[in-house]
Amino acid sequence: MPPGIDGRRVPAHVGCVMDGNGRWASRRGLPRTEGHAAGEAALFDAVEGALELGVEWLTVYAFSTENWRRPVDEVRFLMKFNESLLMRRRDELHDKGVRVRFIGRRNWRVPRRVLRQIEEAEDLTRNDRRMTLTFAFNYGGRAELVDAVSRIVADGVAAGAVDEKLIAKYLYAPDMPEPDLVIRTSGEYRISNFLLWELAYSELVFTETLWPDFRRHDLFAAVREFQERRRRFGGVEGVEE
Ligand code: IPE
Ligand code: IPE
Ligand code: MG
């Protein structure tokens, strides 16, 4: 265990809003897309760090439902980039025991060939259990809730049967625990439509580091900060319900 981290209180689920790629590139006089490309090393170092800690679930925000607003060339790059990343690195993830999954709108705007890579990576790693790496891709927290409500209505669920448990069952990954810790890089202090339902009681850690510069020691620092927090879930510490 890295120094200063209590192995018994490692967050089971860590979420990352991987932000700051464009600024990282601009500061170097490079096109924004170079920042996305440089984010790959950050992601895989974070995966290594998470495995080292024994994190069971790592969820990364890779493309939001609002990111379609970007210039068409950048969007095209991001689609191709994610497709190629999955193709190039799924075997390596499989070898490490990492199950790859996706949350997001699959039937809306995502090119067929990207979907194919998503499905291949999911199939290959289906039984890997060391850690689950979930890509939030074409993901929006509001879209997830809209999709949930729409399926609840389509299933003819009675109004009186709707409760929090039922809604949670209709989310994209109903078996995924809620994140204990969510990290956002690049000094932006907002959620930007990430896991709206799921992060109701997550601890949020913000860092100035731009995503392409993020490495496992930044993850460890966030986990140390997490371990200093006192989670009360609306209750009073040390008093059982
Ligand atoms: C995050 O970096 C990656 C995606 C949203 C795909 P940005 O591209 O948002 O980088 P900044 O925020 O413009 O620096
Ligand atoms: C959030 O970052 C989405 C991802 C990291 C994929 P954005 O850069 O899109 O968020 P805003 O626009 O700054 O809120
Ligand atoms: Mg951004």
Side-chain angles (χ1 to χ4, degrees):
M1 207 44 63
I5 295 182
D6 177 353
R8 293 158 306 179
R9 290 191 301 120
V10 169
H13 183 181
V14 177
C16 277
V17 179
M18 309 187 287
D19 196 16
N21 298 351
R23 276 163 284 166
W24 182 92
S26 301
R27 281 176 203 177
R28 286 166 177 72
L30 299 167
R32 293 176 53 82
T33 49
E34 290 294 320
H36 300 313
E40 180 174 338
L43 172 61
F44 281 80
D45 206 65
V47 166
E48 285 298 327
L51 288 169
E52 221 176 286
L53 291 176
V55 168
E56 291 165 54
W57 299 77
L58 179 65
T59 301
V60 295
Y61 205 3
F63 191 86
S64 79
T65 45
E66 287 68 41
N67 287 148
W68 294 104
R69 292 180 188 150
R70 295 187 177 203
V72 55
D73 284 349
E74 182 171 346
V75 169
R76 199 174 296 137
F77 177 91
L78 285 167
M79 292 298 138
K80 274 214 156 310
F81 175 65
N82 282 286
E83 178 192 340
S84 106
L85 182 145
L86 290 171
M87 211 156 28
R88 287 183 286 105
R89 305 206 64 163
R90 64 173 172 240
D91 288 337
E92 177 187 338
L93 289 168
H94 181 46
D95 290 343
K96 291 190 210 297
V98 176
R99 174 171 63 158
V100 177
R101 294 212 309 193
F102 283 80
I103 51 173
R105 271 208 177 138
R106 295 188 190 225
N107 55 359
W108 180 72
R109 287 187 131 182
V110 180
R112 191 56 242 163
R113 40 191 299 163
V114 182
L115 279 180
R116 199 169 315 127
Q117 293 309 323
I118 288 178
E119 284 158 10
E120 292 223 358
E122 284 181 326
D123 284 346
L124 175 71
T125 61
R126 191 164 300 280
N127 297 315
D128 297 333
R129 280 295 178 281
R130 214 174 140 206
M131 181 171 83
T132 300
L133 172 63
T134 304
F135 287 86
F137 187 80
N138 198 21
Y139 176 88
R142 287 185 175 177
E144 178 173 34
L145 290 171
V146 168
D147 291 349
V149 172
S150 148
R151 288 199 296 122
I152 288 169
V153 173
D155 284 354
V157 176
V162 178
D163 57 12
E164 293 187 10
K165 243 199 183 124
L166 180 104
I167 291 175
K169 253 205 281 197
Y170 277 85
L171 299 177
Y172 293 136
D175 60 330
M176 182 176 84
E178 292 172 10
D180 303 290
L181 165 64
V182 172
I183 303 165
R184 180 165 187 154
T185 56
S186 87
E188 302 293 359
Y189 294 79
R190 55 178 172 264
I191 295 305
S192 299
N193 210 8
F194 188 50
L195 302 179
L196 292 186
W197 176 278
E198 298 87 335
L199 54 68
Y201 275 102
S202 304
E203 294 298 329
L204 308 178
V205 169
F206 297 93
T207 155
E208 297 295 317
T209 306
L210 302 174
W211 179 256
D213 291 327
F214 194 90
R215 289 296 178 272
R216 71 188 81 183
H217 63 85
D218 298 294
L219 173 68
F220 300 159
V223 168
R224 277 184 210 104
E225 194 170 333
F226 168 83
Q227 292 192 338
E228 280 162 21
R229 306 272 180 92
R230 291 292 158 255
R231 302 181 81 187
R232 287 183 286 273
F233 300 98
V236 175
E237 207 174 353
V239 179
E240 291 291 318
E241 188 185 329

